[in-house]
């Protein structure tokens, strides 16, 4: 008896019945057999999508396979899962009475959650001892051995070991199983002295965990439920080589230095307070950045036919019921009661804009109608996910909604994309596009979703734009095009979004009079390019390390007189620049000019204008560029002209209404 599997290049490989992934790798070549970590299997009997499997598992006849090695994209997730088990092995050896829960790989590493015995508190001071024991298990080259055991046998084992969380996980698996196909077995993985309830997969042995580092400790409720036990979560990361790990740790250190919360404090831009969790208190300097972004949004939007509107902050719950948010989003809203009416503080502008559109009769000649509003929004985010400016409860978006005919959808989406590319070009950002399709939890018919997804696909294809597909990640009311950028540290961020919505116009009974004098339902496009101003500022601070473009910098120049006797000329320079629209300060303290320069450098002020006796006599200033060079003495009026040319961002490709 034999089986046949197909390799990535289409070659058929015949193997003995019961052959494993390791057998397949060996049949291809000894070098591959040595490098193999796992096998990717595609087969209808396995799963609807390709599945990564242990090398020791038998292959199904007719499967398509690909051997996973250290060069494969999937390999890091594999060894990080291995590292999580090695961590649990070490922790149980050090604290035998610890209870274990789950330990998955995550995007940049792994974690494992533990319930430590009463009186035991874990901190980063314990990491060296844990890591030393982990290294022993890695060096021991302990094999990962999978067993599929009867479910009751596995349950009895964990009951006897007093591993309550594993027992609960098995009980949940039993409860979730289809009654017509009851759960018969569960998989256990053993490495060295440690056995865990785990679906896998794992590499052949612990030695594949080439380099690892424990990073932090945090609290985590079991199952994310605040009414359950608070567990201790130990985070770590793992790589194939020590050099890869070191590069990662250096990037993390750079990220820590660029943390927007740290820069916000150092540059005096904003602060946070427990009196209003998740809301920034902006200083004058921070507010100038905020206002500059809003001004750019307004100017670029006005040139593209947007009308700025202003809608209320609080609405009767009936409006949110009509929009669908009351049923789908209420837990993330702040609610109040007024005159015995339940009200919701708006987390987004779209229902208010739909209500505003409905308040006026529209003809097809009026369309498209483009509303914009940098209005305040509030979302009741869980306290545990709040993160500086990147995840807040109080914010404003460069929010806009377009109401158009079906025939105008392609042109309007193209216009939104052009607006987006023009906006991001102001910051020299390259973006990639992602088309997100219908989620499982959604409103509207399949026919409506087919139309909406087809319209966005056609708009992207008509522009010849490349994009990635992100199935199932659309908004609950419609598909969307998301725009992502990669920052200077290699991290990906989502910036703007364009969402197509056939549902909300129907729910609000919106209409316009067509050329046939009949009433028609418009299509609604939701559009935000910066996203929230708060989050965009946080991203840009980290991307630039706080060295913002000149037009966005809160202080664009500082005048530095070398002595008190030059105060009158320094003040005249200050006033001339202010008259030209420059955000400028004067440092007339009795400190040395060297110290003034150092402090201005730390504040990342783009230009330092040094004033001495010669400059005062000649009507010049000596210009020093932050972090770069001295430009020497320049006539004051020339400096004013240079600023005038640089202070306003170059807003290109304006599209007429």
């Amino acid at each position: 008896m034999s089986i046949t599997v197909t390799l990535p290049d289409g070659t058929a490989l015949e193997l003995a019945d019961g052959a494993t992934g390791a057998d397949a790798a060996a049949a291809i070549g000894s070098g591959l057999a040595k490098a193999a970590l796992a096998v990717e299997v595609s087969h209808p009997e396995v799963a609807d999508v390709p599945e990564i499997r242990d090398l020791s598992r038998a292959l199904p006849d007719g499967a398509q396979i690909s051997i996973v090695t250290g060069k494969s994209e999937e390999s890091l997730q594999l060894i990080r899962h291995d590292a999580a088990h090695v961590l649990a092995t070490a922790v149980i050896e050090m604290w035998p009475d610890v209870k274990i829960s789950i330990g998955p790989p995550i995007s940049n590493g792994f974690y494992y959650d533990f319930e430590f015995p009463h009186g035991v508190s874990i901190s980063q001071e314990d990491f060296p001892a844990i890591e030393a024991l982990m290294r022993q298990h890695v060096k021991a080259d302990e094999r990962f051995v999978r067993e599929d055991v009867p479910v009751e046998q596995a349950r009895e084992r964990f009951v006897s070991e007093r591993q309550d969380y594993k027992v609960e996980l098995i009980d949940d698996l039993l409860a979730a199983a289809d009654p017509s196909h009851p759960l018969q077995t569960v998989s256990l993985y053993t490495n060295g002295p440690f056995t865990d309830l785990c679906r896998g997969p794992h590499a052949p042995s612990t030695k594949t965990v080439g380099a690892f580092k424990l990073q932090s400790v945090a609290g985590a409720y079991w199952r994310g439920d605040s009414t359950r036990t608070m567990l201790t979560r130990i985070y770590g990361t793992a790589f194939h080589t020590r050099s890869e790990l070191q590069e990662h740790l250096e990037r993390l250190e750079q990220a820590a230095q660029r943390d927007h919360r740290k820069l916000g404090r150092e540059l005096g831009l904003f602060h946070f307070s427990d009196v209003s969790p998740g809301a920034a208190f902006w200083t004058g300097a921070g507010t100038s950045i905020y206002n500059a972004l809003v001004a750019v949004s307004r100017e670029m939007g006005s040139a593209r036919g947007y009308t700025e509107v202003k809608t209320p902050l609080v609405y009767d719950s009936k409006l949110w019921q009509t929009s669908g948010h009351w049923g789908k989003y209420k837990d993330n809203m702040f609610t109040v009661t007024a005159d015995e009416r339940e009200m919701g503080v708006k987390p987004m502008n779209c229902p208010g804009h739909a209500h505003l559109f409905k308040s006026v009769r529209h003809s097809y000649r009026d369309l498209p109608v483009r509303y914009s509003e940098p209005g305040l929004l509030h979302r009741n985010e869980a306290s545990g996910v709040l993160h500086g400016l990147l995840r807040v409860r109080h914010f404003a978006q460069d929010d806009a909604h377009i109401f158009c005919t079906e025939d105008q959808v392609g042109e309007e989406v193209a216009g939104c994309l052009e607006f987006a590319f023009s906006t991001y070009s102001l910051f020299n950002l390259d973006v990639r596009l992602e088309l997100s399709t219908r989620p499982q939890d959604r409103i509207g018919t399949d026919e409506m979703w087919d139309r909406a997804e087809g319209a966005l696909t056609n708009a992207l294809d008509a522009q010849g734009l490349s994009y990635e597909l992100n199935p199932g990640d659309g908004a609950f009311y419609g598909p969307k095009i998301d725009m992502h950028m990669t920052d200077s540290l290699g991290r990906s961020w989502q910036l703007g979004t364009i969402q197509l919505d056939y549902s909300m116009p129907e729910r609000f009974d919106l209409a316009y009079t067509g050329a046939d004098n009949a009433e028609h339902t418009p299509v609604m496009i939701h559009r935000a390019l910066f996203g929230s101003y708060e989050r965009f500022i946080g991203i840009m601070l980290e991307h630039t390390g706080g060295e913002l473009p000149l037009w966005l910098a809160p202080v664009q120049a500082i005048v530095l007189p070398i002595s008190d006797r030059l105060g009158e000329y320094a003040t005249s320079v200050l006033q001339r620049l202010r008259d030209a629209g420059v955000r400028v300060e004067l440092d007339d303290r009795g400190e040395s000019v060297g110290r003034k320069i150092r402090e201005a450098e730390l504040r990342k002020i783009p230009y330092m204008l040094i004033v001495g006796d010669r400059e005062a006599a000649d009507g010049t200033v000596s210009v020093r560029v932050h972090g770069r060079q001295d430009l020497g003495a320049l006539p004051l009026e020339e400096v004013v002209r240079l600023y005038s040319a640089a202070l306003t961002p170059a807003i290109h490709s304006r599209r007429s209404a």
Side-chain angles (χ1 to χ4, degrees):
M1 294 287 291
S2 64
I3 64 170
T4 301
V5 295
T6 304
L7 304 180
D9 64 359
T11 301
L13 180 65
E14 188 172 339
L15 300 166
D17 188 27
T20 65
D23 294 328
I28 297 169
S30 59
L32 184 61
K34 186 177 180 180
L37 299 177
V39 58
E40 183 180 85
V41 179
S42 297
H43 193 279
E45 293 181 4
V46 175
D48 294 333
V49 296
E51 178 188 49
I52 306 296
R53 286 186 158 200
D54 305 330
L55 287 172
S56 60
R57 294 182 66 184
L59 297 172
D61 187 26
Q64 293 180 312
I65 69 167
S66 175
I67 304 299
V68 176
T69 70
K71 296 180 180 179
S72 305
E73 184 178 341
E74 304 87 355
S75 65
L76 276 181
Q77 289 289 90
L78 196 69
I79 68 166
R80 286 167 178 169
H81 193 183
D82 298 346
H85 280 233
V86 174
L87 167 62
T89 307
V91 168
I92 287 179
E93 285 194 68
M94 296 178 70
W95 294 277
D97 293 331
V98 72
K99 295 183 186 296
I100 57 174
S101 59
I102 58 172
I106 53 178
S107 59
N108 286 316
F110 62 89
Y111 69 79
Y112 213 110
D113 287 347
F114 304 94
E115 181 186 342
F116 284 91
H118 181 71
V120 175
S121 179
I122 302 300
S123 71
Q124 293 191 26
E125 293 180 358
D126 297 297
F127 285 179
I130 298 173
E131 289 175 340
L133 195 50
M134 289 176 68
R135 281 192 288 273
Q136 291 180 24
H137 286 286
V138 170
K139 186 177 181 180
D141 191 12
E142 297 166 345
R143 296 192 61 77
F144 284 98
V145 179
R146 176 187 172 115
E147 294 178 274
D148 291 311
V149 302
V151 63
E152 284 303 324
Q153 179 183 328
R155 190 180 190 281
E156 289 172 6
R157 172 180 183 143
F158 289 117
V159 168
S160 69
E161 294 176 355
R162 298 183 179 179
Q163 292 296 347
D164 304 338
Y165 299 106
K166 298 300 179 182
V167 174
E168 183 177 331
L169 289 170
I170 291 174
D171 288 343
D172 287 349
L173 290 172
L174 286 167
D178 186 340
S180 62
H181 297 85
L183 184 67
Q184 301 291 334
T185 64
V186 292
S187 55
L188 305 182
Y189 279 83
T190 299
N191 55 287
F194 176 60
T195 298
D196 202 359
L197 174 72
C198 179
R199 290 180 301 179
H202 284 279
S205 83
T206 57
K207 75 173 182 180
T208 58
V209 184
F212 62 88
K213 178 73 174 174
L214 299 183
Q215 296 173 291
S216 62
V217 178
Y221 290 112
W222 171 235
R223 296 294 181 83
D225 184 346
S226 61
T227 66
R228 305 292 300 273
T229 304
M230 173 70 80
L231 304 177
T232 299
R233 176 170 294 178
I234 300 179
Y235 284 99
T237 192
F239 288 86
H240 294 293
T241 66
R242 177 65 55 183
S243 62
E244 290 173 339
L245 173 63
Q246 190 58 40
E247 288 175 8
H248 175 73
L249 296 177
E250 288 173 0
R251 285 195 298 270
L252 290 180
E253 180 59 30
Q254 291 178 36
Q257 293 302 315
R258 288 171 174 250
D259 189 309
H260 72 281
R261 296 166 297 181
K262 175 177 179 288
L263 290 171
R265 290 191 302 270
E266 292 174 352
L267 302 179
L269 304 179
F270 53 82
H271 77 274
F272 291 89
S273 169
D274 286 340
V275 302
S276 184
F281 286 76
W282 293 90
T283 66
T287 302
S288 71
I289 299 174
Y290 201 101
N291 289 342
L293 290 179
V294 174
V296 164
S297 294
R298 283 179 167 141
E299 183 178 353
M300 296 180 76
S302 176
R304 289 165 171 80
Y306 286 85
T307 299
E308 185 171 329
V309 297
K310 189 173 179 61
T311 55
L313 189 62
V314 180
Y315 300 104
D316 190 291
S317 62
K318 292 178 181 177
L319 179 130
W320 300 113
Q321 291 167 12
T322 300
S323 69
H325 289 94
W326 206 248
K328 299 288 184 182
Y329 203 77
K330 184 181 178 183
D331 289 345
N332 293 96
M333 295 173 62
F334 290 100
T335 58
V336 296
T337 300
D339 298 327
E340 299 184 352
R341 299 165 67 189
E342 193 170 18
M343 314 284 281
V345 181
K346 68 178 178 182
M348 61 275 296
N349 290 308
C350 33
H353 288 185
H355 187 80
L356 180 62
F357 181 88
K358 189 176 181 179
S359 68
V360 179
R361 291 187 61 85
H362 294 280
S363 160
Y364 71 96
R365 295 186 180 88
D366 302 324
L367 304 187
V369 170
R370 307 185 187 104
Y371 291 152
S372 66
E373 180 177 9
L376 294 179
L377 305 173
H378 292 79
R379 295 181 184 175
N380 189 15
E381 302 281 7
S383 59
V385 301
L386 298 176
H387 183 74
L389 297 177
L390 303 180
R391 194 72 175 264
V392 290
R393 289 175 174 167
H394 163 95
F395 61 98
Q397 291 181 313
D398 63 326
D399 210 5
H401 296 92
I402 301 169
F403 301 88
C404 63
T405 68
E406 182 85 35
D407 292 341
Q408 293 170 333
V409 167
E411 182 182 355
E412 290 304 308
V413 171
C416 290
L417 289 167
E418 178 276 323
F419 195 168
F421 295 143
S422 294
T423 298
Y424 302 139
S425 71
L426 303 178
F427 307 89
N428 296 316
L429 300 179
D430 293 323
V431 296
R432 65 183 187 280
L433 305 179
E434 191 174 82
L435 175 60
S436 298
T437 56
R438 69 194 75 186
Q440 183 130 16
D441 188 15
R442 60 183 183 268
I443 57 178
T445 65
D446 287 343
E447 185 275 333
M448 181 207 78
W449 279 89
D450 289 341
R451 268 195 303 154
E453 290 171 357
L456 287 186
T457 300
N458 292 338
L460 289 165
D461 291 343
Q463 297 293 308
L465 297 170
S466 61
Y467 58 92
E468 297 176 8
L469 196 62
N470 187 13
D473 200 45
F476 73 85
Y477 49 77
K480 58 179 181 170
I481 300 170
D482 289 329
M483 286 146 279
H484 300 257
M485 59 85 75
T486 300
D487 72 7
S488 57
L489 297 180
R491 300 171 301 180
S492 179
W493 301 93
Q494 182 189 327
L495 299 178
T497 187
I498 301 166
Q499 304 172 352
L500 189 56
D501 186 355
Y502 287 90
S503 177
M504 196 170 294
E506 290 183 356
R507 295 175 74 93
F508 276 90
D509 196 26
L510 303 185
Y512 68 91
T513 304
D516 57 0
N517 287 324
E519 286 199 342
H520 300 268
T521 303
V523 181
M524 187 175 182
I525 299 172
H526 307 246
R527 188 236 70 199
L529 304 181
F530 287 127
S532 80
Y533 292 107
E534 285 81 356
R535 184 171 179 273
F536 187 81
I537 291 171
I539 291 170
M540 287 304 298
L541 286 172
E542 298 199 2
H543 175 55
T544 64
E547 298 184 18
L548 299 170
L550 177 63
W551 64 271
L552 199 56
V555 179
Q556 296 161 327
I558 187 165
V559 181
L560 306 177
I562 65 171
S563 69
D564 293 343
R565 65 179 179 276
L566 296 162
E568 183 177 348
Y569 180 64
T571 301
S572 69
V573 171
L574 174 79
Q575 193 57 52
R576 181 67 186 92
L577 290 168
R578 280 183 175 168
D579 291 344
V582 181
R583 293 191 289 273
V584 59
E585 291 183 359
L586 169 63
D587 185 351
D588 56 0
R589 296 174 301 158
E591 301 285 354
S592 69
V593 71
R595 180 167 183 174
K596 292 179 182 179
I597 289 173
R598 285 193 298 274
E599 293 182 2
E601 288 281 0
L602 290 174
R603 293 178 62 192
K604 304 182 189 298
I605 297 174
Y607 290 96
M608 287 144 269
L609 308 179
I610 302 164
V611 173
D613 293 321
R614 178 175 296 178
E615 286 80 8
D618 297 342
T620 63
V621 292
S622 287
V623 181
R624 179 184 175 90
V625 182
H626 165 62
R628 290 203 294 266
Q629 60 180 340
D630 292 323
L631 299 183
L634 296 175
L636 178 58
E637 290 307 311
E638 183 177 343
V639 172
V640 170
R641 285 194 298 271
L642 291 173
Y643 266 107
S644 298
L647 286 182
T648 302
I651 301 174
H652 301 298
S653 305
R654 295 180 177 172
R655 184 169 66 94
S656 65

